[in-house]
């Protein structure tokens, strides 16, 4: 009779071969962009789309109460030395995690504050305006959003933006529920005494509809 | 004789707790063949069929001992792993077939066409004019992992003003990667009389695998080159696109 270990080797070999097939298939699906197994796939997609280079997540994927992100939709904020990306990712059974809508902010210019906006509207809600950016000037103690409703260059009201200090970056990221009011956004920066030291129109951004 | 052998084989296989039906069948067949061979050998030397069968079974040993020993060759863990991997494989293959991303194969083809095909095969026109002065300037956009290939630069005249028409295609460095239409759209040109580079009039088409664009920029007659500029996310590139005025309208007139 043949070696008794033949059966054990056959069974083990079969399991190992199938395991290798799973690993190869998995990597093929990931590298050929067939399937987004993880939310990071959606962020990589956004990085390639805008050409920002690789970014690191600053604000992890989260839901938004005002926008009521449908299904498995989630938003995150990521950054690198020259860019910030606000990325809204969704999950679909057929293609996995993918980039639904996103906005990028070019932070490479020499400015005290870089500010971007991303206006997202959904079928069951009004607009939610996301404001994000980074502060490069050390004397800036707080920032706010200035809104010009008449388009005459005069700030009609201000909304404080939460400034957060991370390891090597000071950034702000806030959302504002908006009943489709039109306004021109400005970023306002104040020193520790509350004096306004910088003001600029927020020009970089995008409007998106998520259905 | 065969009945006795079959009963013995079945008794051995009854001790194989974690063997699949196919594996049990294989074990039973091998055991049966071995016993048959031994029995036949004994018959050949003069024993009767019944005696030979009994002797062969006695020489094999106790069915229980054999069965318990063989059972060690069929551990449950490897069976479960094999089946789990098999199911996973099936699911991943299903994704491959039903996922809309099977289009990646066609996008990969578009990518390869953009990088290897001769410019004459790119059928892109602007305002009815097909570009025919071919060039081949390739610029890497490392932040997007893309290559922009400028493949044609023509000059046209309209109402006494001269324009350069620059055709380019953008594709990912990785054949299955995404061509960044956003990057391609942010290539600006220095136009006649303007100090800053601007987005130009033009057209384009494309898909996930390759993005094609034609830009039309006003230039001065005889201008040697047009400057294309990409300045975004810390990457600043300037590319000189040479212009060819041979056979141009001014010469013809």
């Amino acid at each position: 009779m043949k070696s008794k270990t033949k059966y054990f080797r056959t069974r083990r070999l079969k399991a190992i071969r199938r395991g290798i097939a799973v690993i190869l298939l998995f990597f093929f699906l990931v590298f050929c962009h067939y399937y987004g197994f993880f939310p990071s796939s959606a962020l990589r997609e956004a990085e390639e789309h805008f050409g920002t280079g690789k970014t690191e997540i600053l604000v992890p994927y989260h839901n938004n109460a005002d926008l009521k992100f449908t299904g498995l939709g989630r938003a995150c904020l990521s950054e690198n030395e020259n860019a910030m990306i606000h990325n809204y990712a969704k999950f679909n059974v057929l293609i996995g995690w993918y980039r639904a809508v996103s906005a990028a902010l070019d932070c490479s210019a020499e400015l005290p504050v870089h500010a971007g906006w991303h206006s997202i509207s959904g079928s069951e809600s009004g607009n939610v305006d996301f404001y994000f950016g980074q502060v490069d000037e050390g004397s800036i103690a707080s920032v706010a959003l200035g809104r010009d409703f008449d388009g005459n260059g005069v700030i009609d009201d201000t909304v404080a933006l939460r400034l957060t200090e991370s390891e090597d970056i000071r950034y702000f990221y806030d959302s504002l529920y908006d009943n489709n009011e039109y306004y021109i956004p400005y970023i306002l920066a104040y020193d520790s005494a509350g004096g306004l030291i910088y003001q600029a129109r927020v020009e970089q951004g995008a409007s998106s509809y998520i259905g | 004789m065969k009945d006795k052998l079959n009963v013995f084989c079945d008794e051995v296989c009854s001790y194989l707790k974690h063997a699949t039906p196919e594996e049990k069948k294989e074990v039973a067949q091998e055991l049966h063949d071995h016993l048959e061979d031994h029995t036949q050998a004994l018959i050949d030397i003069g024993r009767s069929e019944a005696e030979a069968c009994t002797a062969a079974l006695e020489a094999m040993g106790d069915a229980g001992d054999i069965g318990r020993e063989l059972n060690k060759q069929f551990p449950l863990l490897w069976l479960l792993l094999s089946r789990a991997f098999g199911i996973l494989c099936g699911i991943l293959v299903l994704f491959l077939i039903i996922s809309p991303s099977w289009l990646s194969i066609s996008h990969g083809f578009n990518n390869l066409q953009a990088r290897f095909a001769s410019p004459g095969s790119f059928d892109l026109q602007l305002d009815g004019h097909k570009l025919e002065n071919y060039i081949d300037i390739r610029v890497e956009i490392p932040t997007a992992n893309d290559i922009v290939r400028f493949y044609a630069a023509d000059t046209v005249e309209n109402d006494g003003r001269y324009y350069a028409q620059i055709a380019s295609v953008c594709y990912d460095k990785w054949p299955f990667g995404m061509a960044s239409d956003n990057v391609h759209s942010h290539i600006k040109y220095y136009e006649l009389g303007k100090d800053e580079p601007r987005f130009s009039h033009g057209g384009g088409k494309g898909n996930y695998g390759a993005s094609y664009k034609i830009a039309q920029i006003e230039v001065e007659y005889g201008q040697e080159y047009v400057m294309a500029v990409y300045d975004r996310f810390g990457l600043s590139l300037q590319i000189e696109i040479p212009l060819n005025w041979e056979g141009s309208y001014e010469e013809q007139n």
Side-chain angles (χ1 to χ4, degrees):
Chain A
M1 195 171 154
K2 288 180 188 163
S3 166
K4 290 172 190 166
T5 61
K6 177 196 102 169
Y7 301 109
F8 173 76
R9 277 203 299 270
T10 304
R11 176 175 275 200
R12 183 176 59 182
L13 206 57
K14 202 171 174 181
I16 289 171
R17 276 189 194 140
R18 286 180 177 183
I20 290 171
V22 165
I23 290 167
L24 290 176
L25 213 47
F26 174 79
F27 279 113
F28 177 77
L29 288 170
V30 169
F31 285 120
C32 294
H33 302 284
Y34 258 84
Y35 202 84
F37 287 99
F38 310 106
S40 58
S41 308
L43 183 56
R44 297 288 94 81
E45 206 182 314
E47 290 162 0
E48 284 237 9
H49 172 74
F50 289 112
T52 60
K54 193 167 185 311
T55 60
E56 299 295 329
I57 290 189
L58 206 50
V59 177
Y61 279 103
H62 60 282
N63 206 338
N64 182 280
D66 288 329
L67 195 59
K68 304 177 190 56
F69 286 148
T70 53
L72 284 171
R74 297 289 184 271
C76 81
L77 184 69
S78 67
E79 63 88 25
N80 64 22
E81 194 184 357
N82 296 303
M84 291 183 104
I85 297 178
H86 185 242
N87 189 44
Y88 173 59
K90 284 186 88 170
F91 181 80
N92 179 286
V93 170
L94 290 181
I95 58 177
W97 287 98
Y98 66 98
R99 178 188 80 94
V101 293
S102 45
L105 171 64
D106 189 341
C107 304
S108 57
E110 291 288 328
L111 292 172
V113 181
H114 301 274
W117 60 272
H118 191 191
S119 181
I120 301 181
S121 56
S123 58
E124 295 179 16
S125 54
N127 268 5
V128 175
D129 296 335
F130 292 87
Y131 287 95
F132 58 97
Q134 60 185 42
V135 173
D136 289 342
E137 172 61 48
S139 60
I140 293 174
S142 61
V143 291
L145 168 72
R147 298 193 290 178
D148 169 12
F149 293 101
D150 303 315
N152 55 8
V154 174
I155 307 290
D156 297 307
D157 78 357
T158 60
V159 178
L161 298 173
R162 190 177 39 216
L163 191 58
T164 305
E165 293 225 22
S166 180
E167 266 184 30
D168 47 10
I169 183 176
R170 296 167 73 210
Y171 68 93
F172 55 91
Y173 177 58
D174 259 316
S175 64
L176 204 65
Y177 184 72
D178 164 25
N179 269 325
N180 294 318
E181 280 182 300
Y182 172 75
Y183 59 87
I184 298 173
Y186 287 82
I187 189 72
L188 311 170
Y190 304 89
D191 59 21
S192 53
L196 178 69
I197 57 177
Y198 180 79
Q199 175 178 317
R201 185 169 167 173
V202 180
E203 290 182 328
Q204 295 189 57
S207 280
S208 308
Y209 177 74
I210 58 170
Chain B
M1 174 187 87
K2 285 204 172 167
D3 284 343
K4 277 176 102 172
L5 296 185
N6 287 339
V7 165
F8 182 85
C9 294
D10 288 344
E11 192 179 343
V12 169
C13 288
S14 70
Y15 287 89
L16 305 181
K17 290 188 175 54
H18 302 308
T20 62
E22 292 80 20
E23 285 167 335
K24 283 183 184 175
K25 198 175 166 185
E26 194 183 335
V27 167
Q29 184 63 49
E30 195 176 329
L31 208 54
H32 193 276
D33 291 346
H34 180 78
L35 287 166
E36 244 188 8
D37 290 344
H38 192 182
T39 304
Q40 187 58 49
L42 290 172
I43 291 171
D44 289 344
I45 62 170
R47 298 267 194 110
S48 70
E49 191 177 309
E51 281 176 355
C53 185
T54 306
L57 286 171
E58 279 175 7
M60 181 58 74
D62 177 63
D65 291 341
I66 296 169
R68 279 184 286 272
E69 196 58 32
L70 271 177
N71 186 47
K72 293 176 189 173
Q73 305 307 316
F74 296 96
L76 178 63
L77 175 64
W78 286 110
L79 175 66
L80 292 177
L81 277 175
S82 179
R83 287 195 169 157
F85 288 144
I87 291 169
L88 268 174
C89 247
I91 292 170
L92 293 178
V93 168
L94 201 62
F95 277 141
L96 206 62
I97 294 168
I98 67 173
S99 168
S101 295
W102 64 267
L103 288 170
S104 285
I105 294 174
S106 72
H107 294 146
F109 171 77
N110 290 323
N111 178 294
L112 293 175
Q113 185 182 37
R115 70 175 73 205
F116 293 124
S118 69
S121 61
F122 303 145
D123 182 27
L124 203 58
Q125 303 183 15
L126 183 63
D127 299 335
H129 175 249
K130 185 174 189 293
L131 279 69
E132 288 177 338
N133 184 42
Y134 303 129
I135 57 176
D136 195 355
I137 298 173
R138 302 187 194 221
V139 178
E140 186 179 333
I141 313 287
T143 49
N145 211 43
D146 278 2
I147 305 272
V148 175
R149 178 186 177 190
F150 296 91
Y151 64 85
D154 262 4
T155 49
V156 296
E157 181 265 347
N158 189 5
D159 282 342
R161 295 163 81 160
Y162 297 92
Y163 299 88
Q165 292 184 337
I166 313 293
S168 59
V169 59
C170 177
Y171 55 89
D172 198 87
K173 282 169 74 173
W174 165 240
F176 291 104
M178 177 175 66
S180 174
D181 184 62
N182 195 274
V183 166
H184 205 186
S185 303
H186 278 82
I187 293 178
K188 302 178 187 177
Y189 296 85
Y190 276 98
E191 271 200 282
L192 182 68
K194 302 287 187 296
D195 294 329
E196 295 290 326
R198 297 150 59 96
F199 294 114
S200 57
H201 161 70
K205 65 175 184 180
N207 55 38
Y208 190 91
S211 158
Y212 293 84
K213 291 211 184 307
I214 293 185
Q216 179 162 292
I217 309 103
E218 187 172 4
V219 295
E220 194 174 0
Y221 178 77
Q223 186 168 321
E224 286 183 12
Y225 62 85
V226 165
M227 187 72 81
V229 174
Y230 179 79
D231 188 2
R232 225 168 167 233
F233 301 118
L235 180 66
S236 187
L237 300 170
Q238 291 193 330
I239 308 110
E240 289 181 2
I241 312 294
L243 299 179
N244 186 351
W245 294 92
E246 284 176 20
S248 67
Y249 301 91
E250 191 77 11
E251 277 199 8
Q252 288 169 5
N253 292 338

